[in-house]
Amino acid sequence: MSPTATAGTAAAATAATAAERGRAAAPPAHLTMRDALNRALDTALAEDPATLVFGEDVGRLGGVFRVTDGLQRRHGADRVFDTPIAESGIVGLAVGLAMNGWRPVPEIQFDGFAYPAVDQIVNQMARMHYRSRGTAPMPITLRVPSFGGIQAPEHHGESLEALFAHVPGLRVAAPADPLDAYHLLLQSIRGDDPVVFLEPKSRYWDRAPLPEGGLAAAPELPVGASRVVRPGRHATLVAWGAMVRRCLAAADLAAEDGVELEVVDLRWLKPLDADAVAASAARTRRAVVVHEAPLTAGLGGEVAALVTERAFRDLAAPVQRVTGFDVPYPAGPLEPQYLPTVDRILFAVQRTLEY
Amino acid sequence: MPTREPPDPRPHRARPLPPDLARRLYRLMLTARMIDTEAVALQRQGVFPAYVSLRGQEAAQVGSAAAMDPERDFAFPTYRELAVALTLGVDMVGYLASHRALWHGGLYDPMASRFAPINAVVGGPVPHAVGWALGERLAGRTGVAVSYFGDGASSEGDVHEAMNLAGVLTAPVVFVCQNNRWALSVPNERQIAGGSVAARAAGYGMAGVTVDGDDLAAVHDATRAALERARSGGGPTLIEALTYRAGPHSTSDDTSRYRDPAEERAWADRDPLVRTRAALEAAGAADAAFFAAAEAECRAEAERIRDGVSAAPEPPGTDLFDHVFREPAPHLAAQRRVWEEEVR
């Protein structure tokens, strides 16, 4: 069972126990994804003096989502600092710092504001190591609060994974739950290649029970690995970021009808753990890939191709895609109709079962 | 953040260079001119697919780069900085390998050479210089980044972002804008609102200096002063070196479609090599024997570089895959197997 799936139950149990004892609850042994990311950044800053955290409002304010809360106080204003509103400049700064031996962890405040930085991300950050024939180090982790689901203004709900996964020289990662977010971010920072790290902002406040021994004791998967967050045998749901929890919700409902869905959290979107995803699809003989981004040329097409190439003879149905529509990301009341719903996921499952 | 130097976009003038330095820099300028001439010829012979000449900008490049400390400082070029590379001691065969299309960034070691890879996005490297410079300040070191770009690049948003960042972060960086009057086919009047790049420095709270870019001593002196200011914590400087692109934008270009040939003829009188030679002669710093020896030695060096780049081996196909990532990448390993089985 995944940490996410057990989180709600464990939280309820803890609360009940404290209430029964009739005294104030002990400090909750839980943490949110925001907490986990904050702790990962704290760890990275503490373990390597070359690590720098910077971006818009990440210093004194602690970031608009408070992911960098307290880091400037603990590590100093030289290592955790605010920049002007200049996304291209922020990434360009990171490239120059990396060439001078630093390990930059810049933040783009919201997904849609990565577009003004695309030249620096694509033409510079992704290529400088190659252009320099491996001599210029480029260990940059570009954090981008991403995806929709919080009824934010325009340009605050974009899914950029297909854009960046398409770029040679970039790695792309997206965490789905708090405990995994900790290790995924630390692995991204410790790695020596540029990583675009897409944080599902609608999951910042998801809670998970803190394991005994703290965050560092949480299970750590190898770099590049996907994970099965819920085993099943009738069809495989493939997702990343915020859509993993939605797939788990769909799996819960399907289970009531006796349909056992396997849910795979991709975690790394480039390189993508194609063999493991295909192995799951081969086992269940059916796959549905779910993402928030628009359909056409989305990463779901890539997943479908990789699965089909590897598991064609084992598949009982074409890989289905449940995605956002090919429209600009919509405003508040339309957002729930744009994002893949549990119903749409279950309809797609039904199509694969009845194919 | 306290306001630093008041803007000073006035023309910068300097005393003559010490004779030994002037002679050394003249030889670098002459070598750059000869390499450039050989490179144009190599393009005509089909050895280079294309080439971008720096003809006319030798004083701006040699004068500024010679003021740098090659042990501490770091240059961030775009693609027309051949004489900067030469002055900093970059392996020129490796430099020209970029123009022979052997490797986009060049085959020299940019980190060891302290000269970043050749970059074709004209505004792109400017914020890199600011980041590198900030890294020096944070590390408590005293190196200065020198960012080279042109009048065309001055219109790029990245240049604005970089200069503002440099001002806010007090980064030890010197921006050297070589204003060669032409951004491909577009003249200054259609490029620079307000008429001066250096005057923009005021808006970033940094010193701005306009210098005659064909006056070797003036360029050297202005850059030396800017480097000293940056090294001592005084923050960035923007130098606008007014020069002239004597040739076309590239060997694929045709200047007759957009500029008057009379303009090019008029430039010949202010050719920085002619002016530097005249200055050396006027100061009694060099005689006919020096110029004859320089001519022969610089030509021999240019020919050695020409022959070297002409004979340089093509990169192996494995280079396609070898430098994309530092860490293992299974998808690339799989694609490399395809290359081994179906292409090699």
Side-chain angles (χ1 to χ4, degrees):
Chain A
M1 261 320 221
S2 78
T4 301
T6 55
T9 322
T14 306
T17 309
E20 282 163 15
R21 286 175 188 158
R23 55 183 164 81
H30 285 76
L31 84 175
T32 62
M33 183 184 287
R34 183 216 70 91
D35 298 334
L37 293 167
N38 179 270
R39 304 266 281 276
L41 291 168
D42 189 45
T43 301
L45 285 158
E47 73 183 11
D48 183 353
T51 304
L52 300 174
V53 170
F54 54 93
E56 296 158 13
D57 308 297
V58 302
R60 290 180 69 177
L61 178 68
V64 292
F65 293 104
R66 306 294 184 266
V67 173
T68 55
D69 187 38
L71 298 178
Q72 187 180 68
R73 188 164 36 77
R74 281 200 291 286
H75 301 282
D78 272 355
R79 297 186 58 209
V80 180
F81 58 92
D82 291 319
T83 66
I85 301 178
E87 288 79 10
S88 188
I90 289 167
V91 180
L93 206 62
V95 171
L97 282 162
M99 289 177 74
N100 204 352
W102 296 89
R103 188 168 289 273
V105 189
E107 177 185 299
I108 298 291
Q109 194 163 76
F110 284 96
D111 36 57
F113 307 142
Y115 289 121
V118 164
D119 172 63
Q120 285 294 339
I121 297 170
V122 174
N123 280 331
Q124 306 298 344
M125 181 174 91
R127 293 192 188 189
M128 190 58 85
H129 184 261
Y130 191 78
R131 183 183 293 139
S132 69
R133 300 178 60 78
T135 61
M138 211 46 40
I140 299 170
T141 299
L142 181 65
R143 293 182 40 249
V144 189
S146 292
F147 314 119
I150 62 166
Q151 303 216 336
E154 195 178 4
H155 317 301
H156 295 63
E158 309 282 315
S159 297
L160 303 170
E161 66 270 23
L163 172 63
F164 292 129
H166 193 61
V167 175
L170 293 182
R171 296 175 186 268
V172 183
D177 74 46
L179 299 186
D180 195 46
Y182 176 80
H183 286 301
L184 201 55
L185 181 53
L186 264 181
Q187 285 177 338
S188 300
I189 295 171
R190 288 170 179 160
D192 283 336
D193 295 318
V195 177
V196 178
F197 192 84
L198 306 174
E199 299 173 358
K201 61 175 93 79
S202 66
R203 300 292 180 252
Y204 273 144
W205 303 281
D206 278 14
R207 287 156 62 88
L210 193 62
E212 294 216 9
L215 261 178
E220 180 175 353
L221 294 166
V223 171
S226 62
R227 59 177 188 152
V228 175
V229 292
R230 177 184 176 122
R233 60 193 174 99
H234 294 127
T236 296
L237 301 181
V238 183
W240 51 91
M243 285 298 105
V244 172
R245 200 178 81 183
R246 187 147 297 175
C247 287
L248 288 168
D252 281 346
L253 282 177
E256 292 173 9
D257 291 337
V259 175
E260 295 171 26
L261 297 179
E262 180 147 304
V263 179
V264 175
D265 172 10
L266 215 44
R267 304 175 72 246
W268 289 92
L269 311 183
K270 173 80 171 284
L272 195 152
D273 192 5
D275 289 341
V277 175
S280 171
R283 265 196 316 275
T284 64
R285 305 188 64 213
R286 294 167 176 86
V288 177
V289 55
V290 181
H291 60 66
E292 298 186 29
L295 175 71
T296 302
L299 205 61
E302 183 70 19
V303 172
L306 291 169
V307 167
T308 307
E309 285 165 2
R310 283 164 175 73
F312 182 71
R313 290 179 188 284
D314 295 313
L315 292 179
V319 179
Q320 297 285 313
R321 290 177 289 171
V322 181
T323 72
F325 301 109
D326 283 350
V327 301
Y329 195 84
L334 298 180
E335 194 178 35
Q337 300 176 51
Y338 167 88
L339 292 172
T341 59
V342 168
D343 281 351
R344 284 182 64 206
I345 296 168
L346 292 175
F347 278 131
V349 169
Q350 191 174 356
R351 284 196 296 276
T352 67
L353 291 172
E354 294 173 354
Y355 185 79
Chain B
M1 190 64 61
T3 305
R4 284 174 297 279
E5 296 270 342
D8 178 23
R10 291 167 298 165
H12 183 94
R13 306 207 181 281
R15 285 195 296 273
L17 295 168
D20 55 340
L21 178 62
R23 285 191 296 267
R24 183 169 74 80
L25 300 193
Y26 175 77
R27 291 168 71 105
L28 284 167
M29 290 172 62
L30 186 59
T31 307
R33 173 68 59 90
M34 288 174 166
I35 297 171
D36 191 68
T37 305
E38 294 288 356
V40 172
L42 286 176
Q43 191 277 330
R44 298 290 183 249
Q45 293 160 21
V47 180
F48 288 4
Y51 177 68
V52 282
S53 168
L54 83 148
R55 191 180 183 86
Q57 299 175 218
E58 293 87 351
Q61 295 191 13
V62 172
S64 56
M68 292 172 64
D69 179 345
E71 302 294 318
R72 286 193 280 185
D73 301 337
F74 205 109
F76 288 81
T78 56
Y79 53 77
R80 205 188 294 280
E81 273 70 57
L82 180 146
V84 175
L86 180 73
T87 306
L88 293 177
V90 173
D91 162 31
M92 294 310 291
V93 169
Y95 177 93
L96 286 177
S98 172
H99 297 293
R100 219 195 109 191
L102 294 180
W103 193 259
H104 288 314
L107 286 171
Y108 58 93
D109 181 338
M111 303 307 286
S113 310
R114 306 181 83 75
F115 182 85
I118 292 168
N119 208 312
V121 181
V122 293
V126 184
H128 305 169
V130 180
W132 190 93
L134 174 64
E136 284 295 284
R137 179 166 79 64
L138 294 178
R141 293 189 294 260
T142 53
V144 178
V146 180
S147 171
Y148 285 93
F149 60 96
D151 46 301
S154 77
S155 304
E156 292 277 8
D158 263 8
V159 174
H160 160 67
E161 291 193 17
M163 289 187 179
N164 189 53
L165 280 161
V168 167
L169 298 166
T170 326
V173 55
V174 177
F175 300 101
V176 177
C177 174
Q178 296 171 78
N179 181 348
N180 69 14
R181 314 301 173 98
W182 290 92
L184 216 168
S185 69
V186 174
N188 272 188
E189 306 83 76
R190 303 289 299 168
Q191 191 74 241
I192 304 168
S196 165
V197 176
R200 295 175 184 172
Y204 303 112
M206 71 172 91
V209 181
T210 304
V211 63
D212 178 347
D214 300 328
D215 180 338
L216 179 69
V219 173
H220 186 271
D221 195 61
T223 313
R224 185 190 49 73
L227 286 162
E228 277 176 17
R229 178 168 27 241
R231 227 183 283 293
S232 59
T237 300
L238 168 55
I239 298 172
E240 181 177 10
L242 298 171
T243 179
Y244 189 72
R245 196 192 75 206
H249 162 72
S250 77
T251 47
S252 310
D253 183 23
D254 173 7
T255 58
S256 71
R257 293 176 71 93
Y258 55 84
R259 79 181 181 188
D260 186 347
E263 182 184 298
E264 295 175 25
R265 286 194 296 275
W267 167 82
D269 294 336
R270 44 172 295 182
D271 181 330
L273 274 150
V274 173
R275 285 178 60 182
T276 304
R277 178 174 178 141
L280 280 166
E281 288 171 336
D287 57 14
F290 165 81
F291 290 113
E295 184 85 10
E297 288 165 24
C298 295
R299 185 170 307 285
E301 174 69 355
E303 288 173 354
R304 182 191 68 76
I305 291 162
R306 174 200 65 196
D307 294 345
V309 72
S310 301
E314 291 185 3
T318 48
D319 270 17
L320 280 171
F321 304 99
D322 280 350
H323 309 297
V324 181
F325 290 117
R326 287 203 172 176
E327 313 262 356
H331 71 299
L332 270 188
Q335 291 169 36
R336 184 175 171 146
R337 283 194 296 277
V338 172
W339 170 80
E340 283 168 354
E341 288 163 13
E342 301 178 5
V343 179
R344 184 162 66 175

